[in-house]
């Protein structure tokens, strides 16, 4: 599956499934793609069909432009931090807005790949010229006249202006900082300049109990001063990886701010 995008094995529109949760990566190409279990794989191989209940629709719109050094990974962590790891349960998420459209295809794949961490069955982005340019000429893309025919169909694959969604979330890209996770769940996120929360500060009982377990596992529990003392070195170590997802300058600046 992972060689699919580079070879154009997955083009816009056709639904697909595979025995790995992150099949949703292909949603970056406007395809409905979701992971299935082994018993479902057996059914697909035997019948070329798959029984599914109708999913609910969620749209997440990210308006505005990202600051330098803020990447697709920060967008999806912000989304998961907003809706929680169960927020997308039973939904297929459509990602939209200027910040999503501005992403590279690799960035869009990152967003759709992590739809599963938000509990969604799949995630997708409407295909556009950036998508079509990425697909054209790759080994398994339609060739010659077949490509032009496919392109005319792909250009119709977008949500209507009046489309209704079961749930809508709006984030403002200019307000998003670089993010890291402080615990054991992708919804436990903070800004690189933020502070690891104290469990007693969390109002929701379920999330508070989860935070206690995460803080204990990460070795971050303690008084406010202890959180600051223990959290910053760990955040510093995490951020050594961050420039690979964004600009080196942005990563260095944020390391200085987070660990000063």
């Amino acid at each position: 599956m992972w060689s699919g995008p580079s070879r154009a094995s997955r083009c816009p529109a056709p639904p697909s499934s595979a025995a790995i949760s992150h099949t949703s990566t292909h949603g970056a190409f406007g395809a409905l793609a979701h992971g299935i279990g082994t018993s479902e794989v057996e059914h697909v191989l035997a019948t070329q069909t798959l029984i599914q209940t109708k999913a609910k629709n969620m749209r997440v719109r990210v308006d505005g432009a990202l600051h330098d050094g803020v990447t697709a990974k920060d967008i999806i962590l912000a989304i998961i931090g907003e809706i929680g790891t169960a927020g997308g349960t039973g939904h297929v998420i459509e990602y939209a807005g200027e910040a999503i459209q501005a992403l590279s295809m690799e960035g869009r794949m990152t967003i759709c790949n992590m739809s599963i961490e938000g509990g969604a069955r799949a995630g997708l982005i409407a295909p556009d010229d950036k998508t079509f340019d990425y697909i054209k000429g790759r080994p398994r893309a339609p060739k010659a006249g077949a490509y032009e025919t496919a392109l005319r169909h792909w250009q119709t694959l977008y949500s209507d202006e009046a489309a209704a969604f079961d749930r809508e979330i709006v984030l403002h890209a200019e307000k998003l900082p670089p993010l890291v996770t402080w615990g054991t769940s992708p919804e436990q996120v903070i800004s690189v300049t933020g502070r690891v929360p104290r469990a007693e500060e969390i109002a929701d009982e379920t999330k508070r109990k989860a935070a206690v377990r995460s803080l204990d596992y990460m070795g971050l529990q303690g008084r406010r001063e202890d959180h600051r003392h223990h959290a910053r070195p760990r955040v510093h170590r995490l951020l050594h990886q961050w420039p690979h997802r964004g600009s080196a300058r942005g990563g260095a600046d944020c390391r200085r701010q987070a660990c000063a």
Side-chain angles (χ1 to χ4, degrees), residues 3 10 113:
S3 65
R10 177 55 52 220
N113 176 282

Side-chain angles (χ1 to χ4, degrees), residues 85-242:
T85 52
T89 301
H91 292 77
V92 170
I93 301 176
E94 178 181 348
Y95 301 97
E98 296 97 332
I100 299 296
Q101 294 169 347
L103 292 173
S104 66
M105 288 306 300
E106 290 77 10
R108 296 180 188 189
M109 284 186 259
T110 296
I111 297 283
C112 293
N113 176 282
M114 288 190 65
S115 300
I116 308 307
E117 275 72 24
R121 291 169 61 178
L124 51 82
I125 297 169
D128 57 14
D129 288 342
K130 193 175 294 185
T131 314
F132 310 144
D133 290 342
Y134 184 94
I135 293 172
K136 188 175 183 179
R138 293 184 181 267
R140 300 192 66 178
K143 300 296 189 293
Y147 176 84
E148 300 304 324
T149 300
L151 178 61
R152 287 193 292 273
H153 174 57
W154 296 343
Q155 290 171 332
T156 69
L157 301 176
Y158 56 86
S159 293
D160 297 334
E161 289 293 332
F165 290 85
D166 296 292
R167 186 178 180 189
E168 291 202 60
I169 304 293
V170 178
L171 298 180
H172 299 282
E174 66 275 6
K175 295 181 180 180
L176 299 183
L179 297 171
V180 292
T181 56
W182 56 263
T184 58
S185 168
E187 72 178 56
Q188 295 171 330
V189 296
I190 54 170
S191 162
V192 294
T193 60
R195 175 180 63 81
V196 175
R198 300 165 66 188
E200 58 266 32
E201 297 172 344
I202 301 173
D204 183 273
E205 182 180 2
T206 301
K207 291 186 177 183
R208 183 168 61 252
K209 290 179 178 179
V212 169
R213 293 192 296 269
S214 293
L215 291 168
D216 180 63
Y217 180 85
M218 298 295 287
L220 297 174
Q221 70 271 40
R223 298 189 305 275
R224 184 184 300 270
E225 302 94 308
D226 291 333
H227 274 304
R228 187 166 58 250
H229 176 73
H230 290 297
R232 285 186 174 184
R234 188 175 295 275
V235 169
H236 179 80
R237 289 195 297 274
L238 288 170
L239 288 175
H240 276 298
Q241 303 173 24
W242 181 57

Side-chain angles (χ1 to χ4, degrees), residues 38-54:
T38 52
S39 59
E40 292 175 307
V41 169
E42 181 181 11
H43 191 275
V44 169
L45 293 175
T47 70
Q48 293 296 294
T49 63
L50 183 63
I51 299 173
Q52 291 281 293
T53 56
K54 184 179 179 180

